[in-house]
Structures are given as C-alpha cells and as structure tokens.
Amino acid sequence: MANTNKPRPDLFSWLFRDKNGKTVVFQAPNAPIVVAGLAWAALLFVRSGPWHTVLEIIFNAGLIIWAVMELGWGTVRARRILGLVVLVWIFVSLVLASLRSL
C-alpha cells in the first residue's frame, strides 16, 4: 500500500507559512502595537504620577488589543503563538501586581 500522506512540514514552515504557502517572517506593525510602543517609550521618561498611570493603562491596553488580534487573526502560527504568550504574560503581570498591592 502506497503512502499517500503529505510530507510533514518542518518547524519553520509550520510556524511561518501562511495558508497560501507564502513565508511571512516580518510584517508591518499594526496600530495597537505602535500605540503600545509609544506609551512604553513615554514611560521611560515619566516615572511617577498620574501620567505614569495613564501611560501604563495605554501600554497594557495596546498590548492586549494587539495580542487578541494576533491570536484571532494572525497571518501565521508564529504570530498567533506570540499573541497567546503576550496575553498570558500580561495577565500574570497584572495579577502579580495586584497581589503585591494588597
């Protein structure tokens, strides 16, 4: 009996090829990650006070929106996995921060 199974793709192909077989390693950033990056850059200069809190909220919101977009609509598996990792990281960070403030 002949083996009719398709060859198994290597890890790189599995992670970085889209549904059309095109390799996608880099892609222009979308708006939420740009906003998060700008908020992060501003946080380097604003170390305390109400603006620091506002920038932290903007940073976290931008990352959460970006991560959800990647998880749900990422072009390739690598971006979906990265979205999941970032969501877990943010969740754990926020839980730990809230526990420290008790």
Side-chain angles (χ1 to χ4, degrees), residues 3 9 28 30 36 52 54 59 63 74 79 82 84 90 92 94-95:
N3 185 0
N30 50 20
H52 181 83
V54 168
F59 172 72
L63 275 183
R79 290 180 71 104
L82 184 59
L84 177 63
I90 291 170
V92 169
L94 292 175
V95 166

Side-chain angles (χ1 to χ4, degrees), residues 91-102:
F91 177 76
V92 169
S93 297
L94 292 175
V95 166
L96 291 176
S98 68
L99 290 175
R100 279 191 297 264
S101 67
L102 293 178

